[in-house]
Amino acid sequence: MASADSSLRWKHLHKVLTKPGPFSDEDWVPGSETISALETSKILGAGGLGCEILKNLALSGFKDIHVIDMGKSPPITFSGIPQLTLTDTIDISNLNRQFLFRQADIGKPKAEVAAAFVERRVKGVKITPYVGKIQDKDEDYYMQFKIVVCGLDSIEARRWINATLIGMVDPENPESLKPFIDGGTEGFKGQARVILPTLSSCIECQLDMHAPRPAVPLCTIATIPRQPQHCIEWAHQIAWQEKRKDDPFDSDDLDHIGWVYNAALERAKQFHIHGVTFQMTQGVVKNIIPAIASTNAVIAAATTSEALKIATSCNPYLDNYMMYAGEEGVYTYTFEAEKKPDCPVCGNLARNMTVDPDMTLQEYIDTLGDRPEAQLKKPSMRTEEKTLYQRFPPQLEEQTRANLQRKLRDLVEDGQEIAVSDPAYTIDFRYRLLFK
Amino acid sequence: MTDAFPSALTGPSSKERKYDRQLRLWAASGQKALEESRVLLVNSDGPWSNQSTGVSGVVGVETLKNLVLPGIGGFTIVDPATVTEADLGVNFFLEEQSLGKPRAAETCRLLKELNPDVEGSFQSKVWDSGSITELLRQDPGFLAQHRLVLVSGPMKRPSLDALCKAASELNIPVLYTRSVGFYSSFSLQLPPLFPIVETHPDPETTQDLRLLNPWPELAEAASRIDDLETLDDHQHGHVPYLLLLLHYLEKWKEAHNGNVPSNYKEKSEFREMVRSSARTCNPEGGEENYDEAVAAVLKSLNPFSLRSSTREIFEMEECKNPRADSADFWIIASAVREFFQQHNVLPLPGSLPDMKAQSADYVSLQNIYKSKAKKDVEEVTNIVRRIESQIGSRSGDIPEKDIEIFCKNAAHIKVIRGRSIPEIDGEAQTLKAIRNSISIPDSLIPVFIAFQALDNVVTDLQERRIPSGSIDDEVAWGAQIDRVLSALTADDQSTIDEDARERISEAIQELRRTEGGELHNISSLTGGLVAQEALKVITRQYVPLDNTCIFDGVRSRSEMYTL
Ligand SMILES: [Zn+2]
């Protein structure tokens, strides 16, 4: 148990763990049991906010911390362009906010460098790194944790861990319910949310609150560019395919970006469009989201503060969403996001989706990537009776390919339910198609 | 055209690569301002008593972390404290070997590791009087080296007052922060007038297309599509929606005595007129450009109106009568005001949203907007030059680039009237603002009141007026709570109802839980918020806090107040 200098060291923290407050639960018993429960809780930190999260967890008194997936999200992949696998290593552009990394660490695995740093700095904490993506791990791995804290960069990774943690819940076994705390940032904005899998609103329930930016139509890119970004998309999606088909495009290779930049410049010149820059090229091609240390600090600390409260009951935890915007003063909005009965992950009803019955299946599939409530990039789908389109295996793809050109009204009935799967996720999404 | 197409590949420098993710927010100009700034952190003002070491200063150090990473020019830490065991439990920028050493030196060393571009120094000397005021007295030039002062409280009032007063005389902004247990609060003291040009409003709200009062070149472009019916389907579906709206507006005016649609009903009718003119017998069953036009009717067909914040700026003495020693902002504002008086509109920002159109048509429309914007800038520049020569003796002309940026942002400029760090028995307005919010059930004002009582207790403690020497002294707290409550009710007994009293008492109870100690999460979060404000003040971009933010980590909420 706590030695003399350990209680001196943690004296501020221990005050809130050994004394009730006006808002802590009346049944809560503060004291050494609370402290040891905190110290033995195995907790997982993940994502691009990982440096802040690790530091905060270590200084919140957690002693058994695991860390995974501190990488950036891979750039958007366009069909046909092979992408190199992005590794979870330190890049120079991480140094403006990921404070556990130094110039000399560039190229090293993030999780390992971060874990070693925090272990060195905070005495008595054990940090177990795993270099790789959250999707590499299965339920057995996630089952060992008491709480999961994620500051992941990509919506895909969020949805994956959300579905996984919800799928793990066994009503007979309270230990199988892992409180999931999520944080995300973009520029001066961010959000923190607490999710009790199956009990409260989940990432998927809230999906339409985080709508993707609408993609530029391909015909604009191909024939009538108007903006510098259109020229860059053309160079990236079309020119590269034509000219360098056998070369896998690597968005981290400055020569590749340079090639796209020059091709975009040429095209812009042809159409008298101004404003293509190297920085913009990189931003478009890598789908770069602005990120600064201060916003990351706010959001990461918001998530770990909830972790401390959940692990110790020293105060009530967030129920369940806090959004933050720092462009104009300091603005936060805390509210309870709603659990939706038609949530494809935590609900049991199919979600209604209004469609134009004269759309072809191909057109419908294309809209699924942009629709805020779906955001599925590579969907396959079936009704209860038949497969509408299946990407894999190749034989099945071939058999169902002809459906792509058929109209929805010829494939399904008004009000019929379809099940959609996507290689990014382990679950099916159920939609009820309502004809417009 | 002056902006010729660059041809050679100009890749980013390693500095641009390191700062890429933030340059996208505040650009090279913001980065330059950051790199030219030095920040002072006063991270404690000596021990509270012989039993208590005083402020842990985690918010201060975490704030600096968030400024060192993006590349602030330099920082100075003033902190007479010695590193204790308890520091190691809350402060990440200390290590085992730091125990017993000066905290200023140790935090400075570990913060500097974060970014080799940043210069850092410290002052750890314990002054005779044990206070920052001594340093200010001994080295009068010290404060002036800094662009911003961060103060970690609670700090005894005479020291804080001296510091704020000295900074105010030098026009240096001050951020005063406190983080205790699950609560934090910080206030920003700005110079009396703090103007911002690049406020970065949401692009959705900034469109200024002048559809109701097109200038001649724009009206002419619209008249060129008079014969819409003769266009083939492809051309018809690619007429920029802006021109469509202008075209149908002319038609509308012909039928309505030359008046444009002015109320909701008329706009809805007009929208219907546009909607029904779309061709639907094509394979798509509609036209995207018409959809865009229909969607834009309600938000784009509004007469130009000056925002009240801009109007207020135009009414300020500084804007009406610029002087030789006025900041550039006021000279340009004064010229823009004159422009407005003459034309009843602000200079055109000149940007055009993307819309369905053929490349060449879009580009030529864009050029019409750009040329008009350029002409407006020229006109404002001429006025600026005239004012410059009228007021005389200024060090060089205002750069044209600055005038251009101002014109582009003219509709969204902002001037914050700086206020001093609030205290309950300070200015009348503070008291009034607190009273106004105190009865609102969700208000965080009770937390501010609790901090105010804590400030007073710490002042008494540091000035040895509490015999027990304890921060948790029941008598001292009782006295301070009475003092704060009576200040609030000085002239009106009914201002604090029972519920509000209960909320204040709960906030004080929660605040006292850690006996002045910080929790890392709350201090780290607060350090993020404070750094954000520091960045906005230093870069003069985005809009800083006016003037107090309170964070409640129990309920995960924050609120802003002008106190
Ligand atoms: Zn759900």
Side-chain angles (χ1 to χ4, degrees), chain B residues 296-314:
Chain B
V297 167
L298 291 182
K299 69 169 198 258
S300 308
L301 296 193
N302 296 310
F304 182 88
S305 77
L306 202 60
R307 287 159 61 102
S308 60
S309 50
T310 315
R311 193 177 299 275
E312 256 168 57
I313 294 171
F314 285 172

Side-chain angles (χ1 to χ4, degrees), chain B residues 13 20 44 48 52 64 84 90 95 101 119 131 134 147 173 204 213 245 254 313 327 386 388 404 415 492 541-542:
Chain B
S13 66
D20 178 81
S44 78
W48 288 338
S52 163
L64 279 188
T84 64
V90 281
E95 51 192 10
K101 294 182 185 163
E119 203 278 315
S131 164
E134 189 66 25
R147 287 279 180 82
E204 285 288 305
N213 49 342
L245 287 178
E254 278 165 29
I313 294 171
R386 200 200 67 227
E388 281 171 333
E404 193 186 320
V415 172
D492 181 2
Q541 294 188 38
Y542 301 91

Side-chain angles (χ1 to χ4, degrees), chain A residues 5-6 8-13 15-17 19-24 28 52 55-57 59-60 72 91-103 117-118 120-123 187-188 217 219-220 223-227 230 254 258 261-262 265 268-269 271-274 276 278-280 282-284 286 288-295 297-298 301-302 304-306 308-309 314-318 322 324 326-332 334, chain B residues 1 3-12 14 17-26 53 56 62 65-66 69-70 85-96 99 110 113-114 181-183 186 199-200 238 288 352-359 362-363 366 370 414 472 506-507 509-510 512-522 524-525 527-529 531-533 535-536 542-545 549 551 553-560:
Chain A
D5 77 44
S6 139
L8 266 181
R9 176 161 305 190
W10 298 100
K11 78 172 190 190
H12 302 312
L13 175 67
K15 292 235 164 75
V16 296
L17 303 181
K19 245 193 270 185
F23 308 103
S24 54
W28 175 53
E52 289 283 346
K55 170 194 69 139
N56 297 347
L57 290 177
L59 289 179
S60 296
K72 281 299 284 181
D91 179 74
I92 184 168
S93 64
N94 299 141
L95 301 184
N96 83 326
R97 60 197 185 282
Q98 300 184 358
F99 65 93
L100 302 174
F101 308 144
R102 306 284 176 267
Q103 192 80 29
F117 193 112
V118 176
R120 229 170 27 240
R121 188 63 59 89
V122 183
K123 196 170 82 176
F188 284 108
C219 73
T220 297
T223 58
I224 44 167
R226 297 174 297 266
Q227 305 294 340
H230 300 165
L254 286 182
Y261 167 61
N262 276 322
L265 265 187
K269 194 171 169 181
F271 286 93
H272 305 283
I273 294 167
H274 289 258
V276 173
F278 194 93
Q279 193 192 31
M280 183 192 280
Q282 229 175 354
V284 171
K286 295 181 74 167
I288 289 176
I289 291 164
I292 46 174
S294 37
T295 313
V298 171
T304 52
S305 180
E306 299 310 323
L308 174 65
K309 290 190 284 181
C314 66
N315 256 331
Y317 52 83
L318 171 64
M322 180 182 90
Y324 162 71
E327 290 100 337
E328 194 167 349
V330 178
Y331 178 77
T332 62
T334 302
Chain B
M1 285 253 145
D3 44 344
F5 292 103
S7 55
L9 165 65
T10 42
S14 75
R17 282 163 58 204
K18 179 161 115 184
Y19 295 135
D20 178 81
R21 300 303 185 268
Q22 68 203 41
L23 287 170
R24 292 170 194 275
L25 291 174
W26 53 66
T53 49
S56 303
E62 289 284 316
K65 172 201 74 192
N66 299 324
L69 287 166
E85 273 289 341
D87 280 323
L88 298 191
V90 281
N91 193 333
F92 193 75
F93 295 93
L94 291 172
E95 51 192 10
E96 295 297 320
L99 272 174
L110 294 175
E113 277 183 7
L114 299 179
F182 279 95
Y183 292 145
F186 57 96
T199 52
H200 294 267
H238 284 82
E288 246 179 87
L352 193 64
D354 191 33
M355 62 191 72
K356 175 98 173 186
Q358 301 276 25
S359 306
Y362 180 82
V363 169
Q366 195 177 38
K370 276 190 191 166
K414 193 135 194 164
D472 207 30
E506 282 176 342
Q509 212 188 323
E510 179 65 38
R512 287 179 61 184
R513 217 165 146 194
T514 57
E515 294 165 29
E518 293 180 55
L519 293 178
H520 184 77
N521 289 318
I522 304 302
S524 181
L525 185 148
L529 298 176
Q532 206 98 292
E533 295 313 308
L535 289 167
K536 292 189 275 184
Y542 301 91
V543 183
L545 175 70
C549 172
F551 179 76
V554 177
R555 290 177 289 175
S556 317
R557 292 178 51 222
S558 81
E559 236 173 311
M560 282 185 277

Side-chain angles (χ1 to χ4, degrees), chain A residues 162 166 200-206 338-340 343-347 351:
Chain A
N162 179 60
I166 287 171
S200 71
S201 176
C202 80
I203 299 278
E204 210 74 33
C205 294
Q206 301 162 21
E338 189 190 0
K339 188 175 187 312
K340 296 198 176 146
C343 169
V345 174
C346 75
R351 179 167 287 186

